[in-house]
Amino acid sequence: MNCIAYRLIILLVSALFGVTAYIFKRKNIPFDLIGKLTGAALFILTFVFSAVHKEAISIVIGLNRGPSPFGTDMPRTAFATVLIWLTYTAVLLIAFSRFTKKPALHYTTKLFALPVLVLDTLFLDTYSIANIGNNPSSDDLIYLPFIVAIIAIGLSLSVTDYILVSQPRPSLSDTALSVGIFAAAALVAIPPFVLQVLLGFRRYEGVIFSNFTQEHRIMLYLAFIIPIIAFHILKNLKEDNKRLCVLFYSLAISCSYFSYYSLSDWTSPANLPLGICSVVIILMPFALMTKNEWIFNCCLFLGVLTSFTDMLFPMVGQLNVTATESIRFWASSYFVFFVPVLCVALKIFKRPSVTGLLRALFAFSVYFLFTLCFNAVINNFATASDYLNFENNYILSAFPEFAKATKEVSFSFSIGETNLEFFPLYDLVVYVSYVLLIVIMWFMYKALFKSWDKAENRRLRERDYNKMKKELKSFLGTRSQDAPMYGDNSPKLVLRKFSKKYGNNKHYSVDHVSFAVKGGEIFGFLGPNGAGKSTIIKSIVGIQPITSGSIEVCGYDVSRQSIQAKLNTGFVPDHYALYENLTGREYINYIADLYDVDKKSRDEAIEKYVTRFQLHNSFDNPMKTYSHGMKQKIAIMAALVHNPKVWILDEPLTGLDPNSIYEVKECMKEHAAKGNIVFFSSHIIDVVEKICDKIAIIKHGRIRAVASMAKIEEHEIDLEELYLHVITADEDEEIINIGGNDILNVTDYEALSSTGAKTL
């Protein structure tokens, strides 16, 4: 081999690329398209070379044993093995970097890939011998141009990085990141023969993977441990970075998996990569590059099931863990098993829907018919195939007599000289068994995702809570964390640009609502069904999170100081939920315990409200015996037992008799007279008109009118007519403000009363 001539070719190609890149840069001509085409060509060359050629050094079993193309020269054997490994890594990184503008990836190719390819050029004879042997045949020599082309293109693209990609002087952290990227890339791009060459093994002795031996179980455990580690490493990356990492892994596994093939394997139909795992290894990179949900769902439902079955019953038999066959089998099985699930966990792809399941079943049906016919054709030749385990089906192997009976039904026909034999009953059972397993997987995925959501929600809540505590501590400074964020803890309720939307809904249920309620006021909140009243109330009392903006209760931020805000709040919901096996007294005492109300105060409150609501005869009976109105009274008592500064009621008078309605209204007046706030929603205009000091009307999630009841009376405005006018008016009509400046004016935040409001 004339390596000097090949080195000159490599250097000449690199120089031409470098000069071309320099000219393009001087003339401001984009080089991206050339770079992408060259990068794609580099990957295709590498993939084809690995798929049609088996490295000569791959048959070495340990450095101290043969047969090595370098004879007894162990250091050279080790160096050549590592060089092939690093070259695969470098070439994949270089080709991959052409399709992304990530600075860290380009810096990695400069720092590591270029030196590796320079070593390839300097030690081209060693690299070539490791690939095609010391005394290559004429058939082996045809691969030498592949080697030269891969090194030349890779080196050329590395040189263009130095010329085209201008980067500031990298920091220590940038270098550390590049080291991590290259190490991770090398880990996933390792050729399957490397461990066998460097560590060696004794064939057919020692480690046994079958029959659930200890070694077999360890490999199964790793199938679940590795994806968990990968998820935690990748979960905080941006979405495109997650996809790039998984795509690189997919491409590396494809090259590694097919490196076990040689050109002769492709000429034998029985050796073609048509098994499900092989198909998934081919399809996953396409799914990631094209973001195709259909292809991905096929990989998710078909590949995961098949690879897990393969791992449970491995075909590698009694082979050492470092053997090439073992590494290839477990590396490919791991990939097919956990990468589709990892893609869903990282939200690279959406969770499979019923439509996705049906598409996967359709794709499997097509694949099943193809393999059925293909097996029948190939079985006419000396070498048979069994791509879908028709002959060695794991399920039917547990019922040998049944399998034998189903095979007694057969039919055959000939097309030319080709005889096709089928076993319809047996094949149907195989098909149905796979379909059932796929459907079972669907339900398993649903259960898994449900559990995952719970764990993820818990993790996110803990993260947000810790973040909130940190922000609160920073905001309060030296003050106690029980101190209010805004002013003192006097009675007040303030909403500042509060907005709320549910899930992925594009529309806001409540949109930028701002208003303030002061102590001593009874505030009526009006609006049609679905206007946003209950949404605002539930956010005030902390039942649901805030999308944006803020809510303040007595100076406490509802999001950041939820406990302190709730301690100052009493709430009567529109649909109460009581522990009905408790008596009324037990329940009220339980609520008083939650709010840490002392015995004297709770006893006084209980006696007061039991008398007011006439509950003496039933208070010590189980609440499941109470009428609707009595339960409503218990809910009101529970909201008042701790004497809250802000009492919130959502449709509180529903289901009450006239006497009880009167007593509830008296409670509202008394509570407000003590300087507290009473905030309630209602559809009963007469009640609002008689007891409220201020009102607001909401429509479609926005405040459309605010008013002081004193001003309404002064202007002799009928509240019912005003309400009907507001809810039937156009959306773009100005806010009606009838003496409600102090409602719209949010202290220390924003004055809204003089902007966009029609004032009377």
Side-chain angles (χ1 to χ4, degrees):
M1 292 181 291
N2 191 353
C3 288
I4 295 176
Y6 287 127
R7 288 191 185 97
L8 289 175
I9 292 172
I10 292 170
L11 294 175
L12 179 61
V13 172
S14 302
L16 287 174
F17 254 84
V19 171
T20 304
Y22 179 76
I23 294 172
F24 273 55
K25 184 177 182 180
R26 289 292 300 269
K27 294 188 176 182
N28 293 321
I29 302 173
F31 195 79
D32 287 352
L33 181 59
I34 296 176
K36 288 180 179 180
L37 291 174
T38 311
L42 177 61
F43 175 76
I44 292 170
L45 273 173
T46 305
F47 180 81
V48 171
F49 179 68
S50 65
V52 300
H53 170 67
K54 191 177 293 185
E55 294 86 350
I57 206 168
S58 65
I59 62 173
V60 175
I61 306 172
L63 295 176
N64 60 344
R65 301 184 64 179
S68 169
F70 303 104
T72 58
D73 192 345
M74 291 190 294
R76 197 177 181 193
T77 301
F79 174 72
T81 304
V82 173
L83 192 59
I84 289 176
W85 176 13
L86 296 182
T87 302
Y88 266 113
T89 306
V91 167
L92 287 172
L93 279 173
I94 292 167
F96 199 69
S97 66
R98 299 306 99 188
F99 297 90
T100 176
K101 296 182 179 180
K102 304 295 179 184
L105 194 56
H106 286 276
Y107 181 58
T108 303
T109 62
K110 288 182 181 180
L111 194 62
F112 293 103
L114 180 60
V116 169
L117 292 166
V118 169
L119 283 175
D120 286 336
T121 307
L122 293 175
F123 296 94
L124 186 60
D125 53 344
T126 299
Y127 186 78
S128 300
I129 291 171
N131 273 284
I132 62 177
N134 196 19
N135 296 302
S137 64
S138 58
D139 290 337
D140 291 326
L141 284 173
I142 64 173
Y143 298 116
L144 194 55
F146 275 92
I147 296 172
V148 174
I150 290 169
I151 296 173
I153 296 174
L155 190 60
S156 300
L157 290 174
S158 295
V159 170
T160 59
D161 259 352
Y162 267 96
I163 296 171
L164 295 174
V165 182
S166 300
Q167 289 178 307
R169 186 183 181 89
S171 63
L172 186 61
S173 60
D174 293 332
T175 304
L177 177 61
S178 294
V179 172
I181 291 173
F182 191 79
L187 182 64
V188 300
I190 182 171
F193 62 83
V194 169
L195 294 181
Q196 173 181 298
V197 176
L198 297 180
L199 302 179
F201 72 94
R202 291 181 300 166
R203 189 179 292 273
Y204 303 121
E205 297 177 16
V207 178
I208 302 175
F209 284 123
S210 58
N211 302 325
F212 295 98
T213 59
Q214 180 179 352
E215 294 80 10
H216 183 197
R217 291 198 302 272
I218 289 173
M219 299 306 288
L220 287 174
Y221 298 153
L222 288 175
F224 294 93
I225 295 171
I226 292 173
I228 293 173
I229 295 172
F231 171 77
H232 285 288
I233 292 173
L234 300 176
K235 67 180 181 181
N236 293 323
L237 298 180
K238 293 181 179 178
E239 183 178 348
D240 60 335
N241 289 341
K242 294 176 188 176
R243 185 181 295 274
L244 287 174
C245 289
V246 179
L247 177 57
F248 181 87
Y249 179 37
S250 302
L251 295 172
I253 283 292
S254 297
C255 289
S256 176
Y257 179 78
F258 289 106
S259 67
Y260 192 72
Y261 280 74
S262 62
L263 186 59
S264 60
D265 292 325
W266 294 93
T267 60
S268 173
N271 291 327
L272 292 177
L274 297 177
I276 288 181
C277 286
S278 300
V279 171
V280 170
I281 288 173
I282 295 171
L283 290 181
M284 268 305 297
F286 285 101
L288 288 161
M289 285 187 283
T290 61
K291 302 181 181 179
N292 190 296
E293 295 281 348
W294 190 324
I295 296 176
F296 174 74
N297 283 329
C298 294
C299 298
L300 180 66
F301 283 106
L302 304 182
V304 175
L305 170 67
T306 307
S307 60
F308 184 65
T309 307
D310 287 344
M311 288 190 293
L312 284 178
F313 308 100
M315 304 299 292
V316 292
Q318 299 180 350
L319 287 180
N320 192 283
V321 70
T322 59
T324 301
E325 296 93 333
S326 299
I327 296 297
R328 178 176 178 269
F329 172 81
W330 288 105
S332 59
S333 296
Y334 283 175
F335 172 82
V336 177
F337 172 63
F338 71 71
V339 166
V341 179
L342 184 65
C343 286
V344 176
L346 293 172
K347 299 180 180 178
I348 297 173
F349 286 98
K350 296 177 182 177
R351 292 177 179 178
S353 60
V354 176
T355 303
L357 171 64
L358 295 176
R359 287 175 176 175
L361 288 173
F362 174 76
F364 172 72
S365 300
V366 173
Y367 173 79
F368 183 89
L369 289 173
F370 171 78
T371 52
L372 190 67
C373 297
F374 194 80
N375 285 341
V377 172
I378 300 304
N379 287 339
N380 284 270
F381 302 95
T383 304
S385 64
D386 187 19
Y387 284 115
L388 204 57
N389 293 323
F390 285 96
E391 299 299 324
N392 300 299
N393 185 266
Y394 299 122
I395 299 173
L396 289 179
S397 62
F399 308 98
E401 295 300 324
F402 174 73
K404 183 179 179 181
T406 57
K407 275 208 165 184
E408 292 178 357
V409 180
S410 66
F411 77 94
S412 61
F413 60 93
S414 297
I415 301 178
E417 296 181 358
T418 304
N419 181 58
L420 302 178
E421 185 177 15
F422 297 94
F423 304 91
L425 186 57
Y426 180 86
D427 296 338
L428 179 63
V429 172
V430 172
Y431 174 77
V432 171
S433 66
Y434 272 102
V435 169
L436 287 176
L437 286 173
I438 292 171
V439 173
I440 290 171
M441 280 194 66
W442 159 254
F443 289 104
M444 288 177 61
Y445 280 142
K446 287 192 68 175
L448 174 66
F449 293 146
K450 188 175 182 180
S451 301
W452 180 274
D453 284 342
K454 289 182 179 178
E456 185 69 3
N457 287 337
R458 184 165 58 250
R459 184 186 71 83
L460 292 176
R461 285 198 302 269
E462 289 176 359
R463 182 199 66 185
D464 294 342
Y465 178 70
N466 291 331
K467 180 181 178 182
M468 179 194 69
K469 282 182 65 177
K470 186 176 180 180
E471 291 176 350
L472 179 62
K473 186 176 181 180
S474 174
F475 183 88
L476 293 175
T478 57
R479 290 188 293 162
S480 166
Q481 292 197 20
D482 291 330
M485 289 184 67
Y486 310 99
D488 55 26
N489 61 348
S490 59
K492 57 185 172 182
L493 173 64
V494 180
L495 275 72
R496 298 185 174 98
K497 286 191 175 181
F498 166 73
S499 297
K500 174 67 182 177
K501 66 177 178 180
Y502 294 96
N504 296 322
N505 197 328
K506 296 181 181 179
H507 303 288
Y508 283 90
S509 298
V510 177
D511 189 9
H512 287 76
V513 167
S514 298
F515 63 81
V517 184
K518 297 183 294 186
E521 294 179 347
I522 301 178
F523 193 91
F525 201 39
L526 304 175
N529 292 330
K533 302 189 302 299
S534 293
T535 296
I536 289 176
I537 287 174
K538 288 175 181 176
S539 297
I540 293 173
V541 299
I543 291 177
Q544 59 189 16
I546 296 170
T547 301
S548 63
S550 66
I551 299 177
E552 170 194 336
V553 173
C554 300
Y556 295 105
D557 188 282
V558 167
S559 293
R560 296 183 177 90
Q561 298 174 293
S562 59
I563 295 177
Q564 292 85 348
K566 289 174 183 177
L567 287 172
N568 286 280
T569 305
F571 177 46
V572 180
D574 54 345
H575 299 291
Y576 49 78
L578 307 174
Y579 299 120
E580 298 194 357
N581 285 328
L582 298 179
T583 66
R585 188 181 301 279
E586 289 170 340
Y587 180 74
I588 298 301
N589 275 296
Y590 164 68
I591 298 298
D593 288 338
L594 292 178
Y595 285 96
D596 199 22
V597 180
D598 62 82
K599 189 175 186 308
K600 180 181 179 182
S601 298
R602 78 174 66 180
D603 288 345
E604 290 176 355
I606 288 172
E607 180 59 32
K608 172 183 175 182
Y609 293 117
V610 166
T611 301
R612 166 161 273 171
F613 293 129
Q614 301 176 4
L615 291 172
H616 282 108
N617 294 331
S618 55
F619 196 54
D620 291 305
N621 296 333
M623 289 186 291
K624 62 185 177 183
T625 64
Y626 290 6
S627 66
H628 170 77
M630 293 168 67
K631 291 176 182 177
Q632 184 79 340
K633 294 173 185 178
I634 292 294
I636 292 170
M637 290 176 62
L640 291 173
V641 70
H642 59 294
N643 192 27
K645 294 179 180 178
V646 179
W647 183 20
I648 297 175
L649 306 95
D650 193 2
E651 300 290 345
L653 306 180
T654 304
L656 295 180
D657 57 75
N659 184 58
S660 298
I661 291 175
Y662 172 79
E663 294 297 342
V664 171
K665 290 192 292 184
E666 289 301 305
C667 285
M668 291 181 182
K669 293 175 183 177
E670 290 177 9
H671 198 69
K674 296 177 183 177
N676 299 312
I677 290 173
V678 176
F679 181 95
F680 79 102
S681 68
S682 179
H683 286 119
I684 307 175
I685 302 295
D686 291 344
V687 173
V688 172
E689 196 169 25
K690 289 178 181 177
I691 69 171
C692 286
D693 302 300
K694 306 282 178 64
I695 65 157
I697 302 174
I698 187 172
K699 175 189 173 186
H700 293 166
R702 293 184 178 182
I703 299 295
R704 305 311 304 157
V706 292
S708 160
M709 292 306 301
K711 287 290 183 181
I712 284 180
E713 292 178 5
E714 180 182 328
H715 290 287
E716 297 183 351
I717 297 172
D718 184 274
L719 180 57
E720 188 172 16
E721 291 181 0
L722 173 65
Y723 174 79
L724 292 173
H725 169 75
V726 170
I727 64 172
T728 56
D730 293 336
E731 292 293 325
D732 56 354
E733 187 170 310
E734 294 177 329
I735 297 173
I736 296 175
N737 178 10
I738 306 174
N741 285 359
D742 56 342
I743 301 173
L744 291 173
N745 184 27
V746 181
T747 308
D748 298 328
Y749 183 75
E750 184 178 9
L752 300 174
S753 57
S754 60
T755 305
K758 182 167 63 178
T759 305
L760 296 180

